[in-house]
Amino acid sequence: MPRLHCLGEGDLVSTHKVFRGRHTGEWFGVPPSGKPVEFAVMDLTRYRDGLMFERWSLADALTLLQQTGALG
Protein backbone atom coordinates (compact mmCIF):
# COMPACT_ATOMS: atom_id res chain seq x y z
CA MET A 1 0.00 0.00 0.00
CA PRO A 2 1.96 3.03 -1.18
CA ARG A 3 1.44 6.16 0.88
CA LEU A 4 1.23 9.11 -1.46
CA HIS A 5 0.94 11.85 1.16
CA CYS A 6 1.14 12.01 4.94
CA LEU A 7 0.69 15.27 6.83
CA GLY A 8 0.42 15.95 10.53
CA GLU A 9 -0.37 18.94 12.66
CA GLY A 10 -1.09 18.90 16.37
CA ASP A 11 -3.20 15.83 17.15
CA LEU A 12 -4.28 15.25 13.51
CA VAL A 13 -2.66 13.06 10.84
CA SER A 14 -3.91 12.97 7.25
CA THR A 15 -2.91 10.20 4.84
CA HIS A 16 -3.59 9.63 1.15
CA LYS A 17 -2.82 6.11 -0.01
CA VAL A 18 -3.55 3.57 -2.73
CA PHE A 19 -4.69 0.01 -2.05
CA ARG A 20 -3.88 -2.63 -4.64
CA GLY A 21 -5.05 -6.21 -4.77
CA ARG A 22 -6.80 -8.85 -6.80
CA HIS A 23 -10.53 -9.55 -7.04
CA THR A 24 -10.48 -13.12 -5.69
CA GLY A 25 -13.81 -13.41 -3.87
CA GLU A 26 -17.45 -12.59 -4.48
CA TRP A 27 -18.13 -8.91 -3.88
CA PHE A 28 -21.57 -7.28 -4.02
CA GLY A 29 -22.81 -10.40 -5.80
CA VAL A 30 -20.09 -10.23 -8.48
CA PRO A 31 -18.14 -13.49 -8.81
CA PRO A 32 -14.34 -13.25 -8.55
CA SER A 33 -12.64 -12.20 -11.78
CA GLY A 34 -9.01 -12.55 -10.73
CA LYS A 35 -8.41 -9.06 -12.14
CA PRO A 36 -6.16 -6.57 -10.34
CA VAL A 37 -7.92 -3.72 -8.53
CA GLU A 38 -6.62 -0.40 -7.26
CA PHE A 39 -8.35 2.43 -5.40
CA ALA A 40 -7.40 5.52 -3.42
CA VAL A 41 -8.25 6.23 0.23
CA MET A 42 -7.88 9.39 2.30
CA ASP A 43 -7.95 9.28 6.11
CA LEU A 44 -7.93 11.97 8.77
CA THR A 45 -7.09 10.59 12.21
CA ARG A 46 -7.06 12.33 15.58
CA TYR A 47 -4.79 10.94 18.31
CA ARG A 48 -5.19 11.43 22.05
CA ASP A 49 -2.70 10.17 24.64
CA GLY A 50 -0.85 8.25 21.92
CA LEU A 51 -3.97 6.33 20.83
CA MET A 52 -6.24 6.69 17.80
CA PHE A 53 -9.25 8.62 19.08
CA GLU A 54 -11.25 9.52 15.95
CA ARG A 55 -10.97 8.60 12.28
CA TRP A 56 -12.69 9.81 9.14
CA SER A 57 -12.12 7.97 5.87
CA LEU A 58 -13.05 8.45 2.23
CA ALA A 59 -12.50 5.66 -0.30
CA ASP A 60 -12.87 5.78 -4.08
CA ALA A 61 -15.58 3.11 -4.06
CA LEU A 62 -16.79 4.02 -7.57
CA THR A 63 -13.45 3.00 -9.10
CA LEU A 64 -13.46 -0.27 -7.16
CA LEU A 65 -17.03 -1.05 -8.23
CA GLN A 66 -16.12 -0.37 -11.86
CA GLN A 67 -12.98 -2.53 -11.73
CA THR A 68 -14.83 -5.55 -10.31
CA GLY A 69 -17.73 -5.22 -12.75
CA ALA A 70 -20.27 -4.55 -9.99
CA LEU A 71 -21.73 -1.64 -11.99
CA GLY A 72 -22.68 -3.69 -15.02
Side-chain angles (χ1 to χ4, degrees), residues 7 9 14 17-18 20-21 35-36 39 43-44 55 58:
L7 302 169
E9 183 176 322
S14 176
K17 51 203 162 273
V18 174
R20 293 185 178 108
K35 293 180 181 178
F39 65 101
D43 289 315
L44 181 62
R55 180 174 161 249
L58 180 64

Side-chain angles (χ1 to χ4, degrees), residues 5-63:
H5 303 94
C6 183
L7 302 169
E9 183 176 322
D11 61 352
L12 292 173
V13 175
S14 176
T15 57
H16 175 213
K17 51 203 162 273
V18 174
F19 286 97
R20 293 185 178 108
R22 191 164 298 279
H23 180 209
T24 60
E26 184 177 313
W27 194 65
F28 284 96
V30 177
S33 66
K35 293 180 181 178
V37 294
E38 176 178 302
F39 65 101
V41 175
M42 294 182 74
D43 289 315
L44 181 62
T45 307
R46 180 182 309 277
Y47 291 88
R48 184 175 289 166
D49 299 323
L51 300 173
M52 185 185 295
F53 183 72
E54 294 177 288
R55 180 174 161 249
W56 301 270
S57 185
L58 180 64
D60 183 5
L62 178 59
T63 295

